[in-house]
């Protein structure tokens, strides 16, 4: 494959802000994060003090750790985490948000008698999805804790969970425009309702990122991974086809293992695992 062909394929893989790699690369930029968060939270004057991407929070008990997509702290000490979720149907997003929330709080409170729970900053987790996981046709779903017995009585624990849905057009024009821009990252996208200064600034940064050497390197890394996965998938299909052929011609399992080892240069253990998995009695 020529370098030019590789470049075209890589561009096709990651061209929209909804793509994980582009999202992370752009959100490293504090102004990009600020403009995005400003639209989501409807806070034009929000100020960002710190931004981190792909930050790992370990669970000291040895349980599952989490990797935050794009974490930020505002100048008024609020914590935000934005997660780009393109495979929400594969697991429970509400329960994922619950786990993330618990892990997000772990590093925020120091040990010691002088530390109080009231010192915990407010935290907001934002999941951005390309599907409507709640099926109510809203662009934004916001959840906070409140009492079931007393209407209007909020827990005020400082926790907010927001789920954004790219499929709906029911929401503020600014939010709809941002989500449609993420889905199809072209400022001339006809689905964009409002081109306010924050979205235009975000688009400028996205274009700068796409023209940078860093992004060229990221795209090529993605392409290399894709090629490797394709090769692995092709080899797997070839092994399965060989197993089916051996079975059809009444070869024994041992003969089939030997054929796989020879043709695909695999160890006996790996070849045997394939036969045990795909041999049809």
């Amino acid at each position: 494959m020529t370098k030019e062909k590789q470049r075209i394929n890589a561009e096709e893989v990651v061209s929209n802000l909804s793509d994980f790699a582009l999202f992370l690369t752009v959100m490293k930029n504090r102004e990009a994060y600020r403009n995005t968060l400003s639209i989501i939270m409807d806070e034009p004057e929000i100020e960002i003090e710190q931004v981190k991407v792909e930050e790992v929070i370990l669970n000291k008990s040895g349980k599952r750790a989490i990797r935050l997509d794009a974490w930020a702290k505002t100048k008024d000490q609020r914590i935000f985490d934005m997660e780009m979720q393109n495979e929400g149907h594969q697991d429970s997003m509400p329960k994922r948000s619950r786990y993330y929330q618990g892990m997000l709080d772990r590093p925020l409170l120091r040990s010691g008698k002088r530390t109080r729970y009231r010192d915990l900053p407010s935290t907001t987790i934002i999941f951005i999805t390309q599907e409507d996981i709640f099926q109510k046709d809203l662009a934004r779903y916001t959840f906070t804790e409140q009492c079931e017995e007393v209407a209007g009585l909020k827990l005020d624990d400082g926790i907010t969970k927001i789920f954004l849905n790219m499929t709906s057009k029911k929401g503020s024009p600014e939010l709809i425009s941002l989500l449609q821009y993420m889905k199809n990252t072209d400022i001339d996208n006809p689905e964009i309702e409002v081109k306010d200064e924050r979205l235009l600034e975000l688009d400028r940064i996205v274009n700068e990122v796409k023209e940078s050497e860093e992004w060229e390197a990221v795209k090529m890394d993605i392409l290399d991974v894709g090629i490797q996965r394709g090769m692995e998938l092709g080899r797997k299909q070839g092994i399965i086809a060989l197993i089916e052929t051996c079975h059809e011609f009444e070869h024994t399992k041992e003969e089939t293992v030997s054929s796989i080892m020879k043709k695909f240069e695999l160890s006996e253990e790996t070849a045997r695992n394939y036969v045990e998995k795909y041999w049809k009695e």
Side-chain angles (χ1 to χ4, degrees):
M1 181 181 289
T2 66
K3 288 186 177 180
E4 185 61 30
K5 183 66 174 177
Q6 287 182 336
R7 186 184 305 275
I8 294 171
N9 288 349
E11 189 66 53
E12 290 173 351
V13 170
V14 279
S15 59
N16 297 315
L17 204 52
S18 57
D19 296 313
F20 180 70
L22 183 58
F23 178 75
L24 291 184
T25 308
V26 170
M27 287 303 131
K28 289 180 183 179
N29 184 295
R30 187 182 301 184
E31 279 304 300
Y33 199 116
R34 191 198 76 80
N35 284 299
T36 303
L37 187 62
S38 173
I39 294 173
I40 292 172
M41 301 304 298
D42 192 20
E43 294 185 39
E45 304 303 321
I46 197 167
E47 295 183 87
I48 301 295
E49 180 178 282
Q50 186 180 12
V51 172
K52 296 179 182 179
V53 297
E54 291 195 286
E55 182 182 25
V56 175
I57 298 181
L58 298 175
N59 190 327
K60 293 183 179 179
S61 65
K63 304 295 183 181
R64 183 171 182 169
I66 63 172
R67 185 187 301 272
L68 304 178
D69 284 1
W71 176 99
K73 181 168 68 173
T74 59
K75 288 193 175 180
D76 58 2
Q77 303 304 298
R78 289 178 291 165
I79 303 298
F80 291 88
D81 173 44
M82 278 195 279
E83 300 285 324
M84 184 60 69
Q85 296 291 325
N86 291 324
E87 298 178 347
H89 61 283
Q90 295 187 4
D91 204 345
S92 170
M93 284 298 102
K95 288 191 176 180
R96 183 170 187 152
S97 71
R98 165 186 163 184
Y99 190 75
Y100 272 47
Q101 181 63 63
M103 291 291 286
L104 194 61
D105 282 342
R106 291 179 67 89
L108 298 180
L109 200 63
R110 296 180 180 179
S111 61
K113 292 183 179 180
R114 294 185 178 181
T115 302
R116 298 290 183 265
Y117 289 110
R118 64 171 173 264
D119 296 328
L120 275 172
S122 68
T123 57
T124 300
I125 297 180
I126 302 166
F127 283 92
I128 307 171
T129 69
Q130 295 196 56
E131 56 190 305
D132 189 351
I133 63 175
F134 299 106
Q135 299 296 307
K136 300 297 182 183
D137 191 25
L138 294 177
R140 171 183 173 134
Y141 300 90
T142 304
F143 295 88
T144 56
E145 299 280 356
Q146 62 181 28
C147 182
E148 292 189 6
E149 289 79 11
V150 181
L153 178 59
K154 295 186 176 182
L155 188 58
D156 285 333
D157 57 356
I159 294 174
T160 302
K161 299 184 180 78
I162 298 173
F163 298 83
L164 301 179
N165 163 33
M166 295 183 194
T167 67
S168 177
K169 300 296 180 64
K170 293 182 179 179
S172 72
E174 293 80 7
L175 178 60
I176 297 300
S177 298
L178 172 66
L179 294 177
Q180 294 308 309
Y181 177 78
M182 287 181 167
K183 189 175 182 179
N184 178 11
T185 305
D186 180 347
I187 200 62
D188 294 321
N189 175 357
E191 301 298 325
I192 294 175
E193 299 180 11
V194 177
K195 296 179 183 179
D196 79 354
E197 59 183 13
R198 294 167 296 181
L199 187 60
L200 292 173
E201 176 65 10
L202 177 61
D203 181 63
R204 183 190 65 76
I205 296 170
V206 168
N207 288 326
E208 281 186 357
V209 167
K210 286 184 175 183
E211 294 173 1
S212 68
E213 292 183 1
E214 177 189 7
W215 182 237
E216 286 296 321
V218 169
K219 287 193 298 183
M220 297 316 297
D221 285 344
I222 292 170
L223 181 62
D224 289 343
V225 171
I227 291 173
Q228 183 62 36
R229 287 178 178 174
M231 292 173 63
E232 290 295 327
L233 180 60
R235 182 167 70 166
K236 178 180 177 181
Q237 296 302 322
I239 293 171
I240 294 173
L242 179 56
I243 292 172
E244 292 175 347
T245 300
C246 288
H247 186 274
E248 182 180 348
F249 284 93
E250 299 182 347
H251 290 189
T252 65
K253 283 188 176 182
E254 292 302 321
E255 290 172 334
T256 304
V257 169
S258 178
S259 295
I260 293 173
M261 291 172 60
K262 183 178 180 180
K263 183 172 180 58
F264 293 95
E265 299 181 351
L266 297 176
S267 67
E268 180 179 352
E269 180 183 2
T270 300
R272 194 172 299 281
N273 287 338
Y274 273 111
V275 172
E276 292 300 325
K277 185 173 183 179
Y278 296 105
W279 187 271
K280 297 179 180 179
E281 298 293 351

